[in-house]
Amino acid sequence: MPCVVGEPPTEYRVTAPAEPDGLVHLHELIDRARRDWPDVSGADFDMLETAVIELCGNVARHGRPAGATDVTLSVSVRDSALEATLIDAGRPLEIDVDSAELPPDMDEVGRGIAMARLAVDELDYEHDNGHNIWHVLRRRR
Amino acid sequence: VDSSGLGALIGGLKTARQADGDLRIAAPTEQVATVLGLTNLDRVLRPFATVEDAVRGW
């Protein structure tokens, strides 16, 4: 009888508290996808993870009330790209992703959104039906 | 490393420079090196391949 090896999943999802300790669950999810897909560049996963953690960190730091909402991360592994969607039920964010710029080099804060934008190819934010929704896409190199 | 970590490194660099010292990055992982480049912080926190390289000429 032939040994059939299943294809790894292409969709991953986890829900975790939107607080610093919850970030570990998002790291674990992306690590699992990284292990399942060894042919995908580690750098692509690194940059998707960098963006996702910045966005979730932003929710954890600035969401109100802090830690009172969950964040759901979905990751899709496509032939051409890695995609992530991050959803939380926090208050709407007053943010203009496209105008987020890096602060002066010696500033200690204010890099998060600009860094997320630089790490990936597409980054979009919307507030819909009481939820903050981030779409992240990193084209595979 | 995330933006909070970068902020902590910049804070450490400022403290070190105020004391006539320096803060240098040795043997960064690929993610750290990429993030330093993305944020242009490799201009002020120049990464070195090894600790020996980082402390050379200190």
Side-chain angles (χ1 to χ4, degrees):
Chain A
M1 191 170 186
C3 176
V4 178
V5 178
E7 289 289 314
T10 57
E11 309 287 334
Y12 298 80
R13 176 172 296 190
V14 70
T15 297
E19 59 184 19
D21 287 349
L23 295 180
V24 68
H25 299 290
L26 309 191
H27 281 296
E28 286 173 355
L29 183 85
I30 294 174
D31 279 347
R32 192 159 79 239
R34 189 195 311 263
R35 285 195 302 274
D36 285 347
W37 292 92
D39 293 342
V40 176
S41 159
D44 290 336
F45 276 117
D46 279 350
M47 291 301 100
L48 186 84
E49 185 172 24
T50 294
V52 163
I53 294 302
E54 286 304 325
L55 299 176
C56 189
N58 200 63
V59 174
R61 280 190 296 274
H62 304 302
R64 293 290 184 277
T69 187
D70 286 343
V71 60
T72 296
L73 170 66
S74 303
V75 171
S76 301
V77 180
R78 311 264 186 244
D79 288 342
S80 60
L82 302 176
E83 294 184 59
T85 304
L86 202 62
I87 300 176
D88 72 79
R91 292 197 317 195
L93 303 174
E94 291 183 13
I95 197 163
D96 182 354
V97 175
D98 293 334
S99 67
E101 293 187 359
L102 290 170
D105 288 349
M106 296 305 279
D107 280 15
E108 295 175 40
V109 296
R111 280 186 184 80
I113 299 299
M115 196 167 131
R117 191 161 63 89
L118 290 166
V120 296
D121 296 290
E122 295 178 19
L123 178 63
D124 300 299
Y125 166 77
E126 62 178 323
H127 188 84
D128 183 45
N129 199 23
H131 290 82
N132 296 307
I133 305 170
W134 292 93
H135 295 285
V136 182
L137 184 143
R138 165 82 182 187
R139 290 192 192 92
R140 290 173 57 179
R141 284 8 182 205
Chain B
V1 65
D2 65 5
S3 60
S4 297
L6 292 178
L9 287 172
I10 293 296
L13 176 65
K14 287 198 283 197
T15 300
R17 286 187 175 175
Q18 285 163 5
D20 290 329
D22 198 5
L23 187 151
R24 300 178 182 181
I25 306 292
T29 64
E30 187 176 341
Q31 192 268 351
V32 171
T34 302
V35 165
L36 288 173
L38 280 180
T39 54
N40 299 322
L41 290 183
D42 51 356
R43 296 184 298 205
V44 292
L45 285 167
R46 189 177 152 210
F48 293 85
T50 66
V51 171
E52 289 73 21
D53 290 343
V55 301
R56 189 168 294 132
W58 193 296

